[in-house]
Amino acid sequence: FQLQASGGGSVQPGGSLRLSCEVAGLSLRHYAIAWYRQAPGKEREGVSCINAAGATDYADTAKGRFAVSRDNAKNMGYLQMNNLKPEDTAVYYCAAELARCDHLLTLYIRPGNWGHGTLVTVSS
């Protein structure tokens, strides 16, 4: 299956972006959708996850600012990012796995398919 994250761009600190994750070749209904990011020179890290039942999980850096959601009818996942900070600058990826969100966010289970990421730049 194919994953494509989109919606990235350049914003000023305090701004917002909504990322989308489009999945083709797979019905997302039974899958957890996880979001990750990788900043220059840093390792990939988990940001947020929503499981098949709609329960959400967030990294500490995302709590209170980001909101993950899904639309099974459209086979899409979303990440609403508010109050963005320069340290949020990274390439963002989505993944779909039959796994627990806590395992995905900590990369205890590493997704086998990352797809193409989308660049988010937060700068004044």
Side-chain angles (χ1 to χ4, degrees), residues 25-36:
L26 176 77
S27 174
L28 282 177
R29 188 170 303 276
H30 301 294
Y31 286 73
I33 303 170
W35 288 91
Y36 301 85

Side-chain angles (χ1 to χ4, degrees), residues 3-122:
L3 294 153
Q4 177 67 61
S6 62
S10 295
V11 295
Q12 293 186 338
S16 297
L17 284 173
R18 188 191 193 209
L19 305 185
S20 298
C21 177
E22 183 175 3
V23 180
L26 176 77
S27 174
L28 282 177
R29 188 170 303 276
H30 301 294
Y31 286 73
I33 303 170
W35 288 91
Y36 301 85
R37 67 186 183 188
Q38 188 164 17
K42 295 188 176 182
E43 301 211 350
R44 196 165 298 189
E45 62 178 2
V47 175
S48 182
C49 181
I50 182 167
N51 69 13
T56 59
D57 200 0
Y58 297 91
D60 288 343
T61 53
K63 287 179 181 176
R65 300 188 298 127
F66 294 4
V68 63
S69 60
R70 63 191 297 154
D71 186 334
N72 289 338
K74 294 182 179 180
N75 224 39
M76 297 281 292
Y78 304 97
L79 183 67
Q80 176 68 42
M81 305 189 297
N82 300 322
N83 191 22
L84 283 161
K85 303 176 181 180
E87 51 264 42
D88 295 318
T89 295
V91 177
Y92 284 71
Y93 301 86
C94 60
E97 294 287 340
L98 290 171
R100 287 169 42 172
C101 273
D102 55 345
H103 289 172
L104 290 172
L105 279 187
T106 57
L107 288 168
Y108 177 73
I109 291 179
R110 194 172 182 88
N113 186 348
W114 293 105
H116 296 288
T118 185
L119 177 63
V120 172
T121 303
V122 186

